[in-house]
Amino acid sequence: MSDSDPLSLPVLPLRDLVLFPGVTVPIAAGRPATLKALEAAQKHKGKLILAVTQRQNTRDVEADGLFTIGTIARIEQVQRTLSGVQVLLHGRERGMAMRYDETSDGYLSAVVREVEEMPPSSMEDPAFVALYREARARAGELGEKSGLAQDAVRQVLAGIDEPGRLADLVAGYIDISQEERQALLETLSIEERVRRVLIHVQRQLEIMDAQSNLKSKVQEEIGDRQKEIFLREQLKAIQNELGEGEEGDDLAELGAKLEGLELPPEGRKEVDREMKRLSRFGREAMEAQVIRTYLETVAELPWSERSEERLDQAEAARILDEDHYGLKEVKDRILELLAVRQLCLEAEAREAEEPHNEDLAVEDIDLVEEPEAAEAGPEEASEEAAPRPATPESAKGDPEDDPTNAPILLFVGPPGVGKTSLAKSIARSMGREYVRISLGGARDEADIRGHRRTYVGAMPGRIIKGMKQAGTKNPVFLLDEVDKLGVSFQGDPASALLEVLDPAQNDSFTDHYMGIPFDLSEVLFICTANFLQNIPGPLVDRMEMIEFSGYTEREKQAIASQYLIPRQLRRNGLNAEQIEIGEDGLARVISEFTREAGVRQLEREIGRLARKVARKIAAREVEHVAVDAPKVTELLGRPKVHPEKMAQQDQVGVATGMFYTPAGGDIMFVEATTMPGKGKLALTGQLGDVMKESAQAAWSYARSNAQALSIDPQDFERDLHIHVPAGAIPKDGPSAGVTMATALISSLSGRPARHDLAMTGEITLNGRVLPIGGVKEKILGGVRAGIRQFLLPKENEADLEDLPKEVIDQIEVTPVKELGEVLAVSLCDASFRDGRLLFGDQRPEDVAPLTSNFEH
């Protein structure tokens, strides 16, 4: 049949079915028009019929309800049934209905023309060959996964050598919608049809793989569960045969252990309720495992176990001094705690004896004054007897008044000064257990209070876990890095700590997982932090703060000699006969290779030094190394730290200030210079807003007191530039106010500022000098830089008591209350009398007084 020879064929409407060329399918027919069309087709010479799919699944068929392209099929077999006929159709080629006509017998016929396919441009094209081979391979895989025999699939594919026929065959059997099937039938390009069929096959394979994985997982889960039940039953039977007890034995053991705990009333009620629930469940029940885990957690907590405290103050002081150098304030606080505990125990012992003596006295008086009371019955005598004083437990009252409550300490200081290690030493000196948890980065409230048992995988919080680890009711509990707590949508752990660290509440701390109160009042909580401002105010208010300041160079040398060097020698396999680190060598390591408030980097550098020596000794190059200052440079290389040093001479517009960071104190230079301009003030050096405001205040003070400061008013029409090196480091804070004012006035007046003097203090517009913080660290930094004379606010004079005696003996400190006193000391050839700043031979009556609210 060709395009010029159209045929008139009966039409077989198909519902929800698309017949492809080369595919043989059985069809059930029962509609009268369809039966008549089949009869007409059988009378045709080739028993041909046009099988066309209906657009809609309707019983009555019209020409508009049929697609245009269908398949010219041959009727292979017809079998009549009670409901109609079963027809076996074999698709031959695609056919296009030119028009549909309704015959007088009531069925549709069509003028059909064969549709020619569009072959690929070249059957040898590598891309098409690869596409065809991939389609064959995937079609075979789909057939095997669909349950067909492997040999049958291979036999079918072996009989197909045309790409178009392969695409039609596969399209007739894959599970796709009617619209997608019709689209494939109407795709005349063989290459495009093969590609589309490959896509549908690949999708079917992925769906079958997903279903297979899901089925295997479900079967595996069910199988594991059944296997577990079966094995448990077998284990139970084996245990019974061996006489190892029934299932209830371990429950009885757990119940006996819980019965022996000194639980609070609400705790006893909850535990008894959970034990009854556990006894009703089988061991295989998931709920039984949850309940059992909860009860075992309760049983493992130290409800009444306590460590026997060591109250010997001398021994405790020896242990603290053995582990840490200095830190007098915190050591005194621990010894005070031991003294208080000792006195409280003695008072409790006396109270335990007093009630017995008072009863004897009352009985003696009754016998003398009222003899008839001796003849009264036992019940009457007990009613008339004087009441006993309350026991210490009943007399506790307010938890804050309980002498057994331990303090809650907060150690605040820079890194490496011994906060964490001191907590462990405190536990050892007191004879208590030690527990440490790090709170750095904790962002979930459940880290502190635990998860409720309604959640899958619930567990207690880290506080209860720590108490379980300690095994006693009165450990030393370290909450490390409490200033690093985070906040997230899961809650604020800092707020959860409020109950833990409140002496009025922590005697009944309730973990979400436990659901019953636990007494934390005897725990010695110690928190550590680097930055106090990062801790919420309500949390700080519940703790007793002890500040750790940075170590001086002399303290670092002592710590290195007593602790760090011996420890690093042991770690590196050396002894004192092989290496000797002199004081000058140690001083160079401290000053030129470390810059810190603590000693961590110092220990690392000492370890590096020891390793260098160990390598030489191991190589048999030397047997003994004496490490002095030049040897340090030879072993460790060039210095890593270049601290500021005192200026060599007095300069105009350059003043020396002091600053403090967590790494310690140091000096800084403030430079000021004038230039032609319009009276503008420029500030550089990455200054923060507070430092900029200090410079503005100094500028305004100088302009308002120009005559008293001997400054030409014309100079304020020049531009002034203030710079604070180093420019790459951000700086902020009010304590550089006096330094900026000195450099500014020195530049405007043309008088040099002293190079051997360092100063610190905040200033106001009327010249007052306000107190600042970090005095100890700032002066120690100045001493390291070679400066021995300092200016401090008058109100900071008491802070000098924190300085070591060897530092106080070598420095001279001038306390000041106003800027005039500062300038009189910091500027060369200046003095301050009667509220006037005098230079050289100036007399007070020739100089205007500085504007100030002070009385001179």
Side-chain angles (χ1 to χ4, degrees):
M1 185 173 59
S2 63
D3 292 347
S4 60
D5 299 322
L7 289 177
S8 178
L9 298 177
V11 176
L12 175 62
L14 302 177
R15 291 189 290 184
D16 297 331
L17 176 65
V18 177
L19 179 62
F20 285 88
V23 177
T24 301
V25 295
I27 296 175
R31 289 182 288 187
T34 302
L35 295 176
K36 291 179 179 180
L38 290 172
E39 290 177 1
Q42 286 181 303
K43 297 176 182 179
H44 193 276
K45 181 179 180 180
K47 296 184 179 182
L48 299 180
I49 192 169
L50 180 64
V52 184
T53 303
Q54 297 179 201
R55 297 181 184 273
Q56 302 291 336
N57 187 358
T58 59
R59 180 173 180 80
D60 298 330
V61 182
E62 296 181 357
D64 294 341
L66 298 175
F67 286 102
T68 304
I69 294 180
T71 301
I72 300 175
R74 186 167 62 89
I75 300 175
E76 299 288 340
Q77 184 180 351
V78 176
Q79 183 178 358
R80 298 188 178 275
T81 63
L82 294 177
S83 59
V85 295
Q86 285 283 345
V87 182
L88 188 65
L89 292 179
H90 175 73
R92 295 183 59 183
E93 58 264 345
R94 286 171 173 79
M96 177 182 294
M98 307 298 294
R99 70 173 185 272
Y100 290 107
D101 298 319
E102 185 173 354
T103 64
S104 58
D105 293 332
Y107 66 88
L108 291 176
S109 67
V111 178
V112 182
R113 186 179 63 187
E114 181 183 355
V115 179
E116 292 186 359
E117 297 180 335
M118 299 170 55
S121 57
S122 174
M123 296 295 291
E124 304 297 329
D125 182 18
F128 178 74
V129 172
L131 175 65
Y132 176 54
R133 290 180 179 177
E134 181 68 14
R136 286 181 68 93
R138 299 285 77 79
E141 183 180 352
L142 179 61
E144 294 176 6
K145 289 189 175 181
S146 299
L148 300 179
Q150 185 176 9
D151 294 340
V153 173
R154 290 180 179 178
Q155 184 176 359
V156 172
L157 293 177
I160 301 175
D161 54 1
E162 296 179 6
R165 185 181 174 192
L166 173 69
D168 290 339
L169 178 64
V170 176
Y173 290 101
I174 57 178
D175 184 13
I176 57 178
S177 65
Q178 174 184 312
E179 290 77 12
E180 290 173 328
R181 291 177 185 272
Q182 184 65 30
L184 288 175
L185 182 66
E186 296 177 358
T187 303
L188 302 182
S189 171
I190 294 177
E191 183 176 357
E192 180 64 23
R193 189 159 73 247
V194 172
R195 181 178 290 106
R196 291 188 180 183
V197 167
L198 177 59
I199 292 174
H200 289 303
V201 169
Q202 190 64 39
R203 185 180 300 128
Q204 290 295 315
L205 288 173
E206 292 177 357
I207 293 174
M208 295 177 73
D209 289 340
Q211 290 176 333
S212 176
N213 292 336
L214 180 61
K215 182 178 180 181
S216 63
K217 288 181 180 178
V218 172
Q219 290 179 344
E220 181 180 354
E221 183 175 349
I222 295 176
D224 290 345
R225 186 64 178 164
Q226 292 175 342
K227 180 179 179 181
E228 180 182 356
I229 295 174
F230 177 71
L231 291 177
R232 288 188 180 278
E233 291 297 328
Q234 280 190 326
L235 179 62
K236 180 179 177 182
I238 293 172
Q239 289 177 339
N240 290 336
E241 290 293 331
L242 295 176
E244 293 183 356
E246 299 290 336
E247 178 183 342
D249 292 348
D250 53 352
L251 290 181
E253 181 180 351
L254 178 61
K257 189 174 182 181
L258 291 170
E259 191 66 29
L261 298 178
E262 297 182 10
L263 298 175
E266 54 268 41
R268 175 60 61 189
K269 181 179 179 182
E270 177 71 13
V271 167
D272 291 345
R273 186 176 71 88
E274 293 296 328
M275 278 297 298
K276 290 179 181 178
R277 293 183 60 204
L278 180 61
S279 62
R280 292 196 299 266
F281 287 108
R283 295 187 61 175
E284 295 78 12
M286 186 64 68
E287 186 70 15
Q289 302 299 326
V290 175
I291 297 175
R292 187 180 185 87
T293 302
Y294 168 73
L295 293 175
E296 288 175 349
T297 302
V298 174
E300 292 171 356
L301 286 175
W303 296 94
S304 57
E305 294 82 0
R306 294 175 175 83
S307 298
E308 185 176 351
E309 289 187 292
R310 183 188 297 114
L311 301 179
D312 187 347
Q313 295 187 50
E315 178 64 13
R318 184 193 66 78
I319 294 175
L320 292 173
D321 291 337
E322 177 183 305
D323 293 344
H324 291 81
Y325 179 86
L327 305 177
K328 182 177 183 301
E329 181 181 357
V330 66
K331 291 179 180 178
D332 288 345
R333 183 65 183 88
I334 298 305
L335 296 178
E336 292 168 3
L337 171 64
L338 294 180
V340 171
R341 292 287 297 137
Q342 180 179 350
L343 294 178
C344 289
L345 291 177
E346 293 176 356
E348 290 177 4
R350 288 194 301 270
E351 290 177 359
E353 296 176 358
E354 287 176 359
H356 178 69
N357 296 334
E358 290 178 1
D359 289 347
L360 291 177
V362 171
E363 291 172 3
D364 292 341
I365 293 173
D366 290 342
L367 288 173
V368 174
E369 295 184 357
E370 300 180 7
E372 63 276 8
E375 300 177 0
E379 296 179 0
E380 295 177 359
S382 62
E383 292 176 359
E384 296 179 0
R388 290 177 177 268
T391 62
E393 288 77 6
S394 62
K396 273 188 175 184
D398 190 350
E400 293 185 347
D401 296 334
D402 185 4
T404 63
N405 282 357
I408 298 172
L409 306 178
L410 172 62
F411 293 169
V412 180
V417 295
K419 302 184 296 296
T420 302
S421 59
L422 182 61
K424 189 172 185 179
S425 179
I426 290 173
R428 191 164 74 93
S429 67
M430 299 179 68
R432 295 191 180 193
E433 296 295 326
Y434 171 73
V435 181
R436 172 187 173 273
I437 63 173
S438 178
L439 298 178
R443 305 175 63 85
D444 190 353
E445 178 198 4
D447 284 343
I448 307 299
R449 303 184 66 96
H451 301 82
R452 291 178 173 85
R453 297 200 302 276
T454 54
Y455 295 106
V456 176
M459 61 182 66
R462 300 173 74 177
I463 300 297
I464 293 297
K465 285 183 180 178
M467 297 302 297
K468 177 181 172 182
Q469 175 186 343
T472 62
K473 197 176 180 180
N474 60 339
V476 174
F477 205 125
L478 177 66
L479 302 175
D480 210 3
E481 308 294 352
V482 73
D483 60 327
K484 309 299 191 303
L485 288 169
V487 180
S488 69
F489 66 92
Q490 294 169 323
D492 182 5
S495 299
L497 280 177
L498 293 176
E499 180 183 2
V500 177
L501 302 180
D502 190 344
Q505 303 180 45
N506 64 5
D507 61 329
S508 57
F509 171 72
T510 303
D511 185 274
H512 287 158
Y513 178 81
M514 302 299 298
I516 55 179
F518 187 84
D519 187 5
L520 298 175
S521 60
E522 298 182 37
V523 179
L524 174 56
F525 283 106
I526 299 178
C527 303
T528 68
N530 298 128
F531 303 98
L532 183 64
Q533 62 270 21
N534 292 348
I535 308 176
L539 194 58
V540 175
D541 185 60
R542 284 163 166 77
M543 298 181 282
E544 179 181 342
M545 185 176 65
I546 298 178
E547 293 191 26
F548 284 60
S549 57
Y551 293 118
T552 65
E553 288 193 5
R554 186 181 294 272
E555 289 173 335
K556 288 182 179 180
Q557 286 186 342
I559 293 171
S561 300
Q562 297 180 29
Y563 306 100
L564 305 184
I565 293 178
R567 183 161 60 207
Q568 287 301 320
L569 293 187
R570 290 193 301 270
R571 289 181 179 178
N572 293 282
L574 298 173
N575 55 51
E577 297 178 356
Q578 295 172 315
I579 180 174
E580 178 183 354
I581 302 179
E583 290 187 4
D584 57 339
L586 187 57
R588 175 160 295 187
V589 173
I590 294 172
S591 61
E592 297 185 3
F593 292 87
T594 65
R595 182 170 185 165
E596 57 178 345
V599 292
R600 283 183 182 152
Q601 182 62 27
L602 175 59
E603 184 171 10
R604 283 192 285 267
E605 294 299 327
I606 292 174
R608 193 158 71 98
L609 197 66
R611 290 192 297 273
K612 299 286 186 183
V613 174
R615 180 180 176 183
K616 291 179 177 293
I617 293 177
R620 302 296 187 266
E621 296 178 8
V622 295
E623 295 183 356
H624 174 79
V625 177
V627 181
D628 53 10
K631 196 69 174 178
V632 168
T633 305
E634 175 187 340
L635 293 173
L636 299 184
R638 59 183 177 82
K640 296 180 179 179
V641 177
H642 303 280
E644 293 282 4
K645 297 295 182 182
M646 179 179 64
Q648 299 300 316
Q649 58 184 4
D650 301 337
Q651 300 179 59
V652 175
V654 180
T656 305
M658 297 180 288
F659 67 91
Y660 166 65
T661 68
D666 208 341
I667 65 170
M668 67 177 183
F669 297 105
V670 177
E671 303 172 347
T673 185
T674 60
M675 64 201 78
K678 299 181 180 179
K680 294 182 179 180
L681 177 63
L683 303 172
T684 58
Q686 284 210 54
L687 307 185
D689 292 339
V690 177
M691 286 193 74
K692 291 179 180 178
E693 292 171 359
S694 297
Q696 291 286 351
W699 172 255
S700 300
Y701 178 84
R703 294 188 66 179
S704 63
N705 291 275
Q707 183 179 358
L709 296 172
S710 301
I711 300 175
D712 188 350
Q714 298 294 326
D715 290 339
F716 290 102
E717 298 179 1
R718 297 165 59 86
D719 287 349
L720 179 68
H721 185 178
I722 297 179
H723 178 68
V724 183
I729 302 175
K731 313 168 190 70
D732 204 2
S735 62
V738 295
T739 313
M740 286 188 164
T742 300
L744 184 148
I745 294 172
S746 170
S747 178
L748 291 173
S749 64
R751 291 177 173 82
R754 291 175 54 183
H755 71 284
D756 60 345
L757 176 74
M759 63 195 77
T760 183
E762 181 182 356
I763 61 168
T764 65
L765 278 177
N766 61 9
R768 294 175 57 200
V769 179
L770 303 181
I772 42 80
V775 172
K776 176 184 177 182
E777 289 77 10
K778 291 178 179 179
I779 290 183
L780 292 178
V783 171
R784 281 195 297 268
I787 295 177
R788 296 296 181 267
Q789 298 191 43
F790 299 90
L791 279 179
L792 290 181
K794 179 72 174 177
E795 297 180 34
N796 285 117
E797 196 171 6
D799 295 332
L800 297 175
E801 298 177 0
D802 296 335
L803 291 170
K805 185 177 185 303
E806 65 270 13
V807 175
I808 295 178
D809 292 341
Q810 59 179 315
I811 64 174
E812 178 183 342
V813 179
T814 303
V816 294
K817 296 174 61 178
E818 60 174 298
L819 196 53
E821 298 175 355
V822 174
L823 298 174
V825 179
S826 61
L827 297 181
C828 296
D829 198 20
S831 60
F832 188 69
R833 284 185 293 170
D834 300 329
R836 291 171 170 83
L837 184 64
L838 307 178
F839 295 102
D841 298 332
Q842 289 181 334
R843 294 179 299 175
E845 57 268 19
D846 297 332
V847 179
L850 294 170
T851 58
S852 173
N853 292 333
F854 292 90
E855 295 182 359
H856 304 290

